[in-house]
Amino acid sequence: MNLARSTTCFLVTAAGLGLAACGSGGSSSSGGGSSANAPTTVKIAAEGPFTGDQASLGAGALQAIQLAVKDFNKAGGVNGTQVQLLTWDDQHSAQVAQTLQAQGTADPTVLGIVGPVNSGVVLGTAPSLQSANPPLPFISESASNVKVTDSSWAVAHRVCARDDQQGPADARFMIDQGAKGVYLMDAKSDYSIALADETEQYLKVHNIPTTRDSVTPGQTDFGTIISNIKRSGADWVYFADEGPEAAPLVTEMKQQSLIIGQNIQFMGTDGEEDPSIITKSQGAFDGAYATNITADPAGVSSAAATNYVTEFKTAYGADSLAKAGPYYGSGYEAAQVMLQAIKDSPVKNGKISRADVNSRLASGTFSTIFGAVKFNSKGDIEGGGIFVFQAKGDQMTVLKQVTG
């Protein structure tokens, strides 16, 4: 996303949180707008790791999607038909996802997926979604691997930035902060390896020495890695991870006299802008940086984003933002786009075709809490942004937008 993206929709869509106005060019006589031409049944699925080791990433996104569907239905749904939301908890597993998605591809009233969250799950399941009859479109709020949209899957769309945007942006930020050497780590996932590769490549091109390492998912003992960091002479640690290992890592770094902001700097990625890492590490994370491939609605100065944040806290509690994870904004945004594409698709004999929804996604412009959304020919959002956060006190504060 891009804070500089067109804001012409913000004021006129505030009341409806961007679901009705400015949308995608209006509805034809065969599409939305008339209850007499309402589809019999409309379903979409929310998919992601809603339980398990990455629930901190998926749970907030699910809450956002649920809220988007609720708002959409309250505004009249699809010509009076209420959208039914299916919840597919893939637990960060492509195998689990394939089983869940098979239910959707077999049901023609399932018109789209908001998700999957994880790049590895997308890469493992997108071929089946593409080969379904008709193909089942999806919009990921967070899958950043370049192959997601570089693989010629017409069903693939995302509202987040790509690894080849985030990696160079992260590297440039560290260079601009005076980095002399970087110790890069991945977490052995499709997401983290690809992102660390992009970051390392940019650093090497700009003559910054690097050392590469990997962390095992669930690892809690980092003694060997910390010894290697010290031996490398690096003044920055870059950890392409989704959060779970960050707190024990920085805690042990501090115990071993590597103090963030003093004799070492630290940059994490999506999921590591979670303020709970600060408390879990007893403050060892204070001063660390983290980047995200989506904007935080709480940091966006628009009526639509502000209203959404208020609605989210009203629905889920005053402290819900601290628990929502990095994709509570992009989850809502992706759902808004999917729902608008469905509403703007023609209704024929009480049915909406997935092929028409996918066509609408390819051609339309959609209004969201972050402004206008349009996909390019690959399914990437135009103008995706990278945002830098820093741990200050007990909060992760938006520091700057570094690209997009």
Side-chain angles (χ1 to χ4, degrees):
M1 270 142 294
N2 183 353
L3 294 185
R5 194 190 301 166
S6 170
T7 58
T8 56
C9 300
F10 284 155
L11 296 180
V12 296
T13 61
L17 291 173
L19 285 172
C22 275
S24 41
S27 301
S28 68
S29 60
S30 60
S34 171
S35 59
N37 198 27
T40 303
T41 305
V42 174
K43 301 175 187 174
I44 67 169
E47 186 188 329
F50 304 139
T51 62
D53 65 332
Q54 293 199 6
S56 60
L57 298 180
L62 176 59
Q63 289 178 318
I65 297 164
Q66 291 170 332
L67 202 56
V69 173
K70 178 182 176 182
D71 290 337
F72 184 79
N73 284 336
K74 187 176 180 180
V78 182
N79 307 342
T81 298
Q82 301 285 281
V83 174
Q84 300 174 35
L85 179 64
L86 308 176
T87 302
W88 294 349
D89 180 8
D90 63 30
Q91 300 173 39
H92 188 207
S93 165
Q95 184 175 4
V96 172
Q98 287 173 341
T99 300
L100 295 168
Q101 291 175 6
Q103 305 169 17
T105 55
D107 181 352
T109 66
V110 178
L111 300 179
I113 302 171
V114 181
V117 167
N118 303 102
S119 292
V121 173
V122 172
L123 297 179
T125 60
S128 297
L129 297 176
Q130 181 64 53
S131 63
N133 186 23
L136 179 57
F138 67 88
I139 306 174
S140 178
E141 61 270 78
S142 54
S144 57
N145 190 293
V146 297
K147 294 179 182 177
V148 169
T149 50
D150 281 359
S151 298
S152 300
W153 297 316
V155 294
H157 311 81
R158 57 178 157 201
V159 294
C160 63
R162 296 161 46 115
D163 287 343
D164 55 0
Q165 294 172 301
Q166 185 177 18
D170 291 358
R172 283 195 301 271
F173 180 84
M174 290 187 284
I175 292 171
D176 290 345
Q177 296 296 310
K180 300 296 189 296
V182 180
Y183 195 94
L184 296 103
M185 294 183 292
D186 61 68
K188 298 183 178 179
S189 68
D190 291 315
Y191 156 77
S192 64
I193 292 171
L195 179 53
D197 286 348
E198 293 283 352
T199 307
E200 184 173 30
Q201 179 180 351
Y202 190 95
L203 291 168
K204 286 183 174 180
V205 167
H206 290 79
N207 300 312
I208 304 298
T210 65
T211 304
R212 187 66 178 265
D213 207 341
S214 294
V215 167
T216 301
Q219 184 171 337
T220 57
D221 182 353
F222 298 94
T224 300
I225 285 176
I226 291 170
S227 295
N228 291 339
I229 293 172
K230 292 179 177 179
R231 191 177 299 114
S232 74
D235 57 343
W236 277 80
V237 171
Y238 180 82
F239 191 18
D241 190 27
E242 291 162 315
E245 292 75 34
L249 169 62
V250 298
T251 299
E252 194 167 348
M253 285 173 58
K254 186 174 183 179
Q255 292 170 351
Q256 299 297 324
S257 301
L258 285 179
I259 313 298
I260 293 173
Q262 296 184 20
N263 59 351
I264 198 76
Q265 300 290 344
F266 187 99
M267 173 169 272
T269 59
D270 309 292
E272 290 174 85
E273 83 284 23
D274 183 350
S276 70
I277 296 174
I278 305 172
T279 54
K280 290 176 182 176
S281 66
Q282 297 181 320
F285 200 60
D286 191 35
Y289 301 96
T291 59
N292 196 357
I293 49 177
T294 70
D296 183 345
V300 176
S301 56
S302 75
T306 299
N307 287 352
Y308 169 61
V309 170
T310 299
E311 184 183 17
F312 193 93
K313 290 192 290 186
T314 299
Y316 301 118
D319 62 345
S320 56
L321 295 188
K323 305 173 184 177
Y327 307 127
Y328 81 100
S330 58
Y332 191 94
E333 178 187 32
Q336 284 184 298
V337 173
M338 182 64 77
L339 291 166
Q340 287 177 53
I342 292 170
K343 185 173 182 178
D344 288 347
S345 296
V347 180
K348 302 171 184 176
N349 299 319
K351 299 177 181 179
I352 294 174
S353 166
R354 294 201 294 244
D356 286 330
V357 175
N358 205 45
S359 176
R360 197 63 191 155
L361 288 171
S363 63
T365 300
F366 309 93
S367 72
T368 77
I369 56 170
F370 294 124
V373 165
K374 184 172 179 58
F375 297 114
N376 64 19
S377 60
K378 291 183 176 182
D380 285 313
I381 192 172
E382 295 183 351
I386 309 298
F387 302 86
V388 180
F389 296 73
Q390 187 175 25
K392 295 182 178 181
D394 60 354
Q395 298 295 321
M396 294 299 294
T397 302
V398 179
L399 194 65
K400 63 189 300 187
Q401 179 179 344
V402 292
T403 189

